[in-house]
Amino acid sequence: MKRILIIDIGRCTECMGCVEIAPDIFHYNEATGRMEVIDLQEYPGEIVWEAIKNCPKDCIYWEDVE
């Protein structure tokens, strides 16, 4: 089973904390006005965990997909 990294856009306030912690994983898309996860083959677990635990709105999480 594969896991994908998700940002719940409905709860995200675009505080940019995730970008500060992990700029190679998260970015703000100025065209859409939303935070996005950069599509990578593999995500460094420790850095992702830092972004997850420091998100003030708890809107970053892993989702299992088949």
Side-chain angles (χ1 to χ4, degrees):
M1 189 170 290
K2 184 179 176 181
R3 293 171 65 188
I4 58 173
L5 191 55
I6 302 288
I7 297 175
D8 182 339
I9 299 303
R11 294 190 336 220
C12 181
T13 61
E14 289 112 22
C15 73
M16 304 291 281
C18 57
V19 174
E20 290 177 27
I21 293 169
D24 294 334
I25 300 171
F26 303 97
H27 76 100
Y28 180 73
N29 184 329
E30 291 187 24
T32 63
R34 297 179 181 227
M35 299 302 299
E36 295 179 348
V37 176
I38 297 170
D39 189 29
L40 302 174
Q41 288 291 327
E42 200 171 304
Y43 296 94
E46 189 173 314
I47 295 171
V48 170
W49 173 243
E50 282 296 315
I52 290 171
K53 75 177 186 176
N54 286 293
C55 178
K57 295 295 182 180
D58 295 322
C59 60
I60 304 169
Y61 60 92
W62 289 106
E63 185 173 286
D64 294 327
V65 295
E66 292 185 25

